[in-house]
Each structure stands twice: as structure tokens, then as C-alpha cells.
Amino acid sequence: MPYNPEIADRVRAIIEVAGDVDEKRMMGSLAFMIGGKMAVGVSGDEVFFPMGGGEALDVALQQGAHRLRLPSGQDVPFAALTDPDDDTLADWIGDAIARALGD
């Protein structure tokens, strides 16, 4: 499913504070890259965040995210939110920027 352009615009408006953000289209999704690392992605109506698995992913799942599943059915270490409100989106993107920058 292609990414929702309205959600991508919402992500773009928040993530631009990070400065040098590159956008890459990948298999129908849109990824926002910071320093060559994916910080946030949009696929369909979902916003997803690479978590690296382990404890960070477990915490994200406890905070209301769900695990991203690829169209093949494979689970990946990404947390996903379905059409989050702007405040939630801003909080999650702030954390994603920090992870991408290594803070």
C-alpha cells in the first residue's frame, strides 16, 4: 500500500527541525533519513520507527505502538503507530531524531 501523503506531510513538518533530512522512497513507503540513518517512515496510514529490537522495542509496544509487519508477513524491529494525533507524533519523532543522531 502506498504511503498516505497527508501523514507524510505531518511527519515532514515535524522532522524538519532536525535540519538535514533526506527523503527516500522505498517499496511504496517514504523514509525520512537523518545522517544516513532512517529515523521515521510512512507506509499507508502507519508511521514507523526503527527500534533495533530488544528493550527499546518492548517499551515502544508498551506505549501503544504495534510491531511493524512486512507484506510478506515477517515481523521487523520497528514500532508502528496507525494515524497518530499530532502531539503523539511529535513525541515519537523527537525520540526518533535522538536515536538517529545517537543521543
Side-chain angles (χ1 to χ4, degrees), residues 28-71:
S29 298
L30 181 63
F32 294 87
M33 314 288 283
I34 298 174
K37 297 178 184 176
M38 182 188 301
V40 182
V42 180
S43 180
D45 290 333
E46 293 187 316
V47 182
F48 59 89
F49 306 86
M51 303 303 292
E55 187 177 327
L57 180 57
D58 291 341
V59 169
L61 297 176
Q62 291 170 7
Q63 294 176 340
H66 59 276
R67 191 174 195 136
L68 184 66
R69 180 168 284 166
L70 298 177

